[in-house]
Amino acid sequence: MATAFASRTQHSCVAKATSGKAVAARPVSAGRSTAVKAFASSTRSSFAGNVAFTAAAKQGVRGMRVARRSAVQTQAKIGDSLAEFLAEATPDTKLRQLLMSMSEAIRTIAFKVRTASCAGTACVNSFGDEQLAVDMLADKLLFEALRYSHVCKYACSEEVPEPVDVGGEGFCVAFDPLDGSSIVDTNFAVGTIFGVWPGDKLKDITGREQAAAGMGIYGPRTVFCLAVAGCPGCHEFLLMDDGKWVHVKETTEIGEGKLFAPGNLRATFDNPAYERLISHYLGEKYTLRYTGGMVPDVFQIIVKEKGVFTNVTSPSTKAKLRILFEVAPLALMVEQAGGASSCDGLCKSALDVPILGYDQRTQVCFGSIGEVTRFEEYLYGNSPRFSVPNELEANPRQ
């Protein structure tokens, strides 16, 4: 009975994911097919299949199409396992191994979140934040996964913000083990956020240097959302009843739509520009979708392919979001999904802000290009990145 239910669930999710988009497939050479099957077998994947390729280059700014540099883009087949997807998404075997290790940790955290204690540990991290038992458990699982991957040199987290040598080589990883842990006991969705940088440092870098970024979303469904540099789109993998990750959605475009998630609304008290922006959302009858958890509040933009998330500071409310652990990884996912970001009050992408310290904090906006443009115009008076088409053409989003 459980097997039949899993089969029906898998078929339903795959059918839903493909209902709106046709995926074109082309034959794959025998050598490539063998490599895919070998990699999938090594991770005990239950899916096998060829890889679909399509040419896609579409972009819009306020309803206007902007010329983009043409490129042949990979489109993974819906229904592929995570291992099969990674075999086509990147030729870097170390990066594949690291991302598979992170997926294993996220799968375990999803189970542990259901039963772990939400009580405090009477401890604080070096940032002064109170640590919960569930935070520490997720943190331990992720460090162990990276240590046993043998491809990570340094790792650090919001709980242990100073880089720890985990014995491998190839990449460094920064992560928020359980963003939104304070709302676990209310049964809201929470999640893990991580960014992967090549080399051996996690400071004096930018988000644009990331090799990959991802998040695990623990809600009614457990989802692994992943963006790999050089592989178009942001990809969603659903955890099935048999423990396998199945590719159920690819997002390549975030359009306009009246959905908003306004963080730190207290800032409207002494930030008149933010107050005017919120008044615009309300006056235009935007739908409010805000949980207080950054993972679900940003993830909905990728899933719904529309909307905006804002978290703004003021003289009396300081920045809370850390670029290294949260903002930069989320920016890579949103921008590869076809959206945009605005960070640090500089009218620039969160991927281009230099990360000079582990505790570097910022205000931020994620959303469609139109919504991020509106955010910058309301908060800072103009949005030069998006008002000059030539700049967009010269610096297209990946």
Side-chain angles (χ1 to χ4, degrees):
M1 182 174 181
T3 302
F5 178 74
S7 176
R8 291 196 302 273
T9 303
Q10 178 178 328
H11 181 271
S12 174
C13 291
V14 172
K16 182 177 180 181
T18 57
S19 60
K21 299 180 180 179
V23 181
R26 67 171 176 78
V28 180
S29 67
R32 180 189 292 260
S33 178
T34 301
V36 172
K37 291 179 180 178
F39 181 68
S41 175
S42 68
T43 54
R44 301 186 300 278
S45 170
S46 63
F47 291 90
N50 293 334
V51 177
F53 283 83
T54 187
K58 49 187 180 179
Q59 181 68 325
V61 179
R62 292 180 173 181
M64 297 176 62
R65 294 195 175 277
V66 179
R68 301 288 303 276
R69 293 180 299 187
S70 61
V72 177
Q73 298 184 345
T74 305
Q75 186 176 46
K77 184 191 297 182
I78 299 301
D80 276 354
S81 68
L82 177 59
E84 290 168 331
F85 166 80
L86 290 174
E88 287 296 335
T90 174
D92 192 324
T93 56
K94 286 188 175 182
L95 182 58
R96 295 179 200 168
Q97 179 58 47
L98 189 148
L99 294 175
M100 289 301 299
S101 295
M102 292 299 286
S103 77
E104 294 291 331
I106 287 171
R107 181 170 58 190
T108 304
I109 293 170
F111 174 76
K112 296 294 186 180
V113 161
R114 300 189 186 112
T115 56
S117 170
C118 295
T121 62
C123 299
V124 294
N125 61 21
S126 61
F127 295 149
D129 302 325
E130 181 185 8
Q131 293 174 300
L132 304 179
V134 68
D135 283 317
M136 300 304 294
L137 178 58
D139 196 63
K140 178 182 177 182
L141 288 169
L142 288 162
F143 270 110
E144 287 181 351
L146 291 171
R147 182 172 290 108
Y148 289 113
S149 75
H150 304 296
V151 295
C152 179
K153 176 59 176 175
Y154 291 111
C156 66
S157 75
E158 283 202 347
E159 310 305 322
V160 185
E162 295 76 22
V164 175
D165 190 337
V166 292
E169 61 178 17
F171 296 95
C172 290
V173 179
F175 58 89
D176 183 348
L178 200 61
D179 184 79
S181 57
S182 62
I183 58 174
V184 168
D185 55 356
T186 66
N187 225 16
F188 284 6
V190 295
T192 296
I193 307 170
F194 69 91
V196 181
W197 279 265
D200 59 0
K201 64 179 183 177
L202 286 167
K203 193 162 61 173
D204 300 320
I205 54 177
T206 67
R208 201 168 294 281
E209 297 171 45
Q210 290 174 99
M215 57 180 163
I217 302 93
Y218 317 117
R221 311 193 315 163
T222 299
V223 173
F224 183 32
C225 185
L226 183 63
V228 179
C231 176
C234 190
H235 302 267
E236 181 182 339
F237 298 84
L238 179 65
L239 183 62
M240 308 303 288
D241 288 346
D242 60 1
K244 301 296 192 299
W245 294 104
V246 177
H247 190 205
V248 294
K249 188 177 190 298
E250 176 185 18
T251 304
T252 58
E253 185 174 9
I254 295 176
E256 304 308 314
K258 294 184 176 182
L259 184 153
F260 76 122
N264 197 23
L265 279 175
R266 287 171 292 188
T268 59
F269 178 75
D270 53 350
N271 186 332
Y274 194 31
E275 182 182 21
R276 288 194 296 271
L277 179 62
I278 298 301
S279 295
H280 168 82
Y281 295 148
L282 297 175
E284 293 297 318
K285 298 182 180 179
Y286 278 48
T287 298
L288 174 64
R289 293 280 173 82
Y290 180 71
T291 70
M294 192 175 184
V295 167
D297 290 336
V298 174
F299 181 57
Q300 69 177 339
I301 297 172
I302 298 172
V303 173
K304 301 295 186 181
E305 301 183 3
K306 64 180 181 180
V308 61
F309 169 89
T310 58
N311 192 294
V312 175
T313 61
S314 73
S316 63
T317 58
K318 303 305 179 183
K320 293 179 61 178
L321 304 178
R322 297 176 178 93
I323 297 181
L324 179 63
F325 304 106
E326 300 163 306
V327 174
L330 290 173
L332 182 65
M333 287 181 275
V334 170
E335 294 198 19
Q336 286 211 179
S341 65
S342 181
C343 183
D344 223 25
L346 302 174
C347 290
K348 63 166 51 178
S349 165
L351 296 176
D352 295 323
V353 175
I355 302 172
L356 306 177
Y358 307 123
D359 191 31
Q360 185 174 336
R361 306 187 188 205
T362 184
Q363 59 183 5
V364 73
C365 172
F366 296 115
S368 68
I369 290 178
E371 290 296 349
V372 173
T373 301
R374 179 178 292 111
F375 171 85
E376 291 184 348
E377 289 174 343
Y378 268 82
L379 268 293
Y380 315 123
N382 58 35
S383 183
R385 286 185 296 155
F386 302 126
S387 61
V388 182
N390 289 338
E391 289 189 11
L392 278 179
E393 185 175 351
N395 300 283
R397 295 191 317 278
Q398 299 297 315

